[in-house]
Structures are given as C-alpha cells and as structure tokens.
Amino acid sequence: MAAAPRERSPFLGLLPLPERNAVVQALRTETVGGLVLLAAAVVALVWANTPWSGVYEQIRDFHFGIPALGLDLSVEHWTADGLLAVFFLVAGIELKRELVVGELRTPATAALPVIAALCGMIVPAAVYAATVTAGGGSLEGWAVPMATDIAFALAVLAVLSTHLPASLRAFLLTLAVVDDLGAILIIAIFFTSDLNFAALGGAFAGLAVIYLLQRFRVRGWWWYVPLGVVTWALMYNGGVHATVAGVAIGLILRTTRDKGESASPAERTSHLLHPVSAGVAVPLFALFAAGVGVTGAALGEVFTRPEPLGVVLGLVIGKTLGIFAGTYLAARFTRAKLNPDLAWADVFALAVLAGIGFTVALLIGELAFPAPATAEQIKAAVLIGSLIAVGLAALLIKRRNGVYRRLYDEETRDDDHDGIPDIYQRADTTER
C-alpha cells in the first residue's frame, strides 16, 4: 500500500500562540524604536543642511575617552562602536531565541526564511558588483546593500497604519535576524585589520568567563556588566569591530528557562536592553551617521558614480529580486505552501520593504569607505535607496491593506476577554 503524501506545511499561516506572543512583544518595541530612529534621521539630515551644520560637525567629531586604554574616540565612533554593541547584543539574543525556540530551531522551519534571507544578501551584493564593474568603480562596498533595517521597516508600517498579520511581520523579523548574522560575520571577517592577538585573547577569555557564569547559573548584574565592558574594550583594541563582542555575549546568554524561573537570563537582558537599543542606541547612531549634505551636485553623484549607484540598485532591485525569488523557489521545492489567505503579491511587497537598509548599511559603508567624501556619497545612496524602497512598498502594501486588516482582526479578536485570541481556541486551528 502506497504511503499517503505528507501534508505540506503552511507558509505565512497562523503562528503558534507562544511564538506569536514573542513576536508581538519584540515588534512592539522595534516599532516604537523605529519611529524614534526615523525622527533622529530626519533631524540629522535637516541639521546637516542648515547654517548650523558646522555645530553638527563639531559635536560629531568631538573626541573623548581614555587614551591610555586606546579609547579616545569621536562622538560618531562612540555611537558606532559603543552604542551599536548594545544593538548587536540584543540582535544576538534574538538570533539565539530563533535558533532555540523560534523559526530557525529545526531545518524544516528554518529552510525557507534562511534561503530567502541568503538570496536577499547574495543578489544585492551581485547587483552592486555588476554595477561597479560596468562603471569601473570599487568593489569595496559590496556588503553595504545586504542588510535590512527591521526597526526602520516597522516604523514605515506604523506610519502607514497597516495591519500586517503576525506571520508576515514574523517573516520580516526572521529575515532581519539572519541578515544581522550575515552582517556580523561580514564585519568580523572582512573589516578586521591590525590584529592585536593579546587583546583578542583577553576578549575571548572574557567571553569564556561569561559562558562559565551562565553554565553555573551565576546571577547578578555586577558580574556581567563589568565583564561585558572589559570584553568590548579588548575586542575593540584587538582590531575586530567592537560590535562583535555584543553579538557574542548575546549568543552566550541562556535562552531556556530553568525550573522555577519566570524568565531566562536572555529574556531578562533583552527586556532591559531592548528599549535602550531601539530607543537610544540606534537613534543616536542615526543622528551622527545620517547627517549628509544634500545638494543637487551630491544627489547627481549618487546616480552617476558607480559605488553609490550600486548601493541604490542593490537595495531597491537586488533585495526585492533576491528575497522574492529565494522565497518562491524555497516554497516550490520544499514542503511549504503559501497561506491561501495571502498571495505572492504580499511576499513581493515584503521583499520590496526589506530594501530599507539603514543602521547596518550605514555602519558597513563607513567601514568599507574610510575616505570622508566617498563615505558621504555612500550614506546618501543608502538614504535614497531606502526612501525609494519605502515609496514602492507603501504603494504595494496599501493596495492589500484590506486583506491585512481582515486577517489582523481575525487573529486578534478576543470576544471572551480571556487574553487569548479566539482563533487559538477553535478546535479546527490546532494543527493549522
């Protein structure tokens, strides 16, 4: 007797309730932080194009720190190397959660978002490389258009007043988590120079101590905060970008709860630092990274010089084609099937939205192009490419917002006011 074919699992269907609750909580903070990020970017752009732009540059370039420890940095570098370490620490915790209890915990559920994210990194890099090769430019910026800015994307959704169902938002979040991992690896591997092996050895020793403290269930911030700061400083002096220390600590923190624990160390840390990351660290980075002079000549250079043009095309075309094609091919050749309530137009709109590259793209742009003039062009290209992606995504998402509103209302309705959406209490949705 022939075996019955295995049922294909739904893609972008109703999330399990614990996963939905975790996603909703994470995205709520990201959305608020994204709005603050959006405001900071606007302030930076306006400030840098007023008669007071000199004051902006003086604050941005002001140095302070401890020179004896190799930490005499400008305000701009403190935000990029210091505050963004908090952002990457939270990203490391989110990645760990996805690997342990989320969409990436099994190969079957991880395959589709991972393939989509990988294609969404490879294709933009290829588009950039093809553009600069044709124009005789530099390949140094190949990694700039590879990362999606989840906070910026969610802020756009909030401004648009859309009602994306949790599954679409979760897919966007998973893409961004894998993107962040790729960005971290790229920064660690390709933007490392003048290694100080003694300092690096000290940083790895600090990480090992943190691991042992977690292994033996040692609690108390007075252990972890000094260790984290020392590890960050040693990583910076070791020649590896200091944000790598943040993600490494995030990956070390325990995600699963012990018996009797109300929250794991990773959950507690994320709860404390996520608002700081989204509402303070990333917006301050944007404030001192997004201040570029916008003139007719500068805008013209974005579309006439190969490097910034490659960034724009990589974000707008490369991201869209990469994520959509990767998602379609993964669904075509795996057991996944698209939720019948949605259409491939929804996946395409999400792929366009993922072309918003801001925080990590700006960071990699600064690392890839140390020369100020070229760095300004790359920053302008990131901003313009992201704005084009915003405009296109807004048109596509608004066209389907009626469908999203119906699905959102259905999955959030709680007529009996017991705190559990009614859709999760129906017997016919237990296997959905």
Side-chain angles (χ1 to χ4, degrees):
M1 183 187 227
R6 291 186 298 173
E7 184 180 353
R8 301 178 72 192
S9 57
F11 164 54
L12 298 179
L14 188 67
L15 294 175
L17 184 57
E19 179 68 8
R20 178 187 178 277
N21 290 339
V23 167
V24 169
Q25 180 62 36
L27 295 182
R28 184 179 294 119
T29 305
E30 290 284 7
T31 301
V32 174
L35 292 172
V36 180
L37 167 64
L38 208 56
V42 171
V43 169
L45 280 171
V46 171
W47 194 358
N49 289 277
T50 65
W52 301 280
S53 60
V55 177
Y56 173 83
E57 292 172 1
Q58 286 178 352
I59 296 174
R60 183 190 63 191
D61 298 334
F62 178 74
H63 277 66
F64 67 97
I66 308 173
L69 299 179
L71 295 174
D72 184 22
L73 310 177
S74 67
V75 170
E76 182 180 17
H77 283 141
W78 273 114
T79 58
D81 293 281
L83 290 180
L84 277 194
V86 178
F87 164 78
F88 276 102
L89 192 157
V90 174
I93 291 173
E94 290 178 351
L95 176 60
K96 179 78 173 285
R97 191 192 71 81
E98 288 289 330
L99 290 170
V100 175
V101 297
E103 289 292 302
L104 305 180
R105 68 186 181 278
T106 63
T109 57
L112 198 146
V114 168
I115 291 172
L118 288 175
C119 291
M121 290 186 283
I122 294 170
V123 176
V127 169
Y128 175 90
T131 304
V132 298
T133 300
S138 169
L139 288 170
E140 294 295 323
W142 60 272
V144 175
M146 292 176 65
T148 295
D149 195 301
I150 182 67
F152 210 132
L154 292 171
V156 170
L157 294 178
V159 171
L160 293 175
S161 298
T162 56
H163 294 76
L164 285 187
S167 58
L168 281 169
R169 293 175 185 264
F171 184 60
L172 184 62
L173 177 62
T174 306
L175 287 175
V177 167
V178 179
D179 264 1
D180 286 342
L181 174 61
I184 291 158
L185 292 174
I186 288 167
I187 290 170
I189 296 171
F190 296 100
F191 296 104
T192 293
S193 60
D194 301 325
L195 293 179
N196 181 329
F197 290 102
L200 278 180
F204 284 116
L207 293 174
V209 172
I210 293 173
Y211 171 79
L212 291 174
L213 291 175
Q214 286 287 286
R215 182 76 175 79
F216 291 106
R217 304 304 193 257
V218 176
R219 299 182 62 171
W221 63 267
W222 50 87
W223 291 100
Y224 295 98
V225 172
L227 264 173
V229 172
V230 169
T231 300
W232 169 85
L234 288 169
M235 190 74 75
Y236 176 82
N237 282 287
V240 175
H241 201 272
T243 53
V244 174
V247 74
I249 294 171
L251 288 171
I252 288 172
L253 294 179
R254 179 167 52 84
T255 306
T256 55
R257 300 179 187 178
D258 285 341
K259 187 176 180 179
E261 269 190 328
S262 59
S264 68
E267 289 173 315
R268 291 193 296 270
T269 304
S270 180
H271 178 74
L272 289 171
L273 292 184
H274 209 149
V276 176
S277 168
V280 178
V282 173
L284 280 177
F285 168 76
L287 180 63
F288 294 107
V292 295
V294 179
T295 62
L299 293 177
E301 286 183 332
V302 169
F303 294 100
T304 56
R305 293 188 60 82
E307 294 87 356
L309 179 60
V311 170
V312 172
L313 296 180
L315 288 172
V316 177
I317 297 176
K319 270 289 183 185
T320 302
L321 291 180
I323 291 176
F324 182 78
T327 305
Y328 179 81
L329 291 174
R332 176 71 177 80
F333 294 105
T334 65
R335 293 178 54 242
K337 64 176 180 180
L338 185 66
N339 178 0
D341 289 326
L342 297 172
W344 282 107
D346 302 305
V347 179
F348 186 79
L350 213 64
V352 174
L353 186 67
I356 299 174
F358 193 76
T359 306
V360 178
L362 291 175
L363 176 62
I364 295 178
E366 289 183 349
L367 296 174
F369 296 101
T374 309
E376 293 290 295
Q377 294 169 7
I378 296 300
K379 288 181 182 180
V382 170
L383 295 173
I384 290 171
S386 298
L387 287 175
I388 294 173
V390 166
L392 294 175
L395 292 175
L396 295 170
I397 290 172
K398 277 295 187 182
R399 288 188 59 191
R400 296 279 295 171
N401 199 39
V403 175
Y404 302 149
R405 184 184 295 273
R406 176 178 61 80
L407 293 175
Y408 179 85
D409 290 343
E410 181 182 354
E411 73 175 28
T412 56
R413 183 176 293 114
D414 183 18
D415 292 336
D416 54 6
H417 305 291
D418 63 351
I420 301 175
D422 297 339
I423 195 170
Y424 287 95
Q425 297 173 316
R426 298 174 191 164
D428 61 348
T429 63
T430 55
E431 296 298 326
R432 186 174 167 184

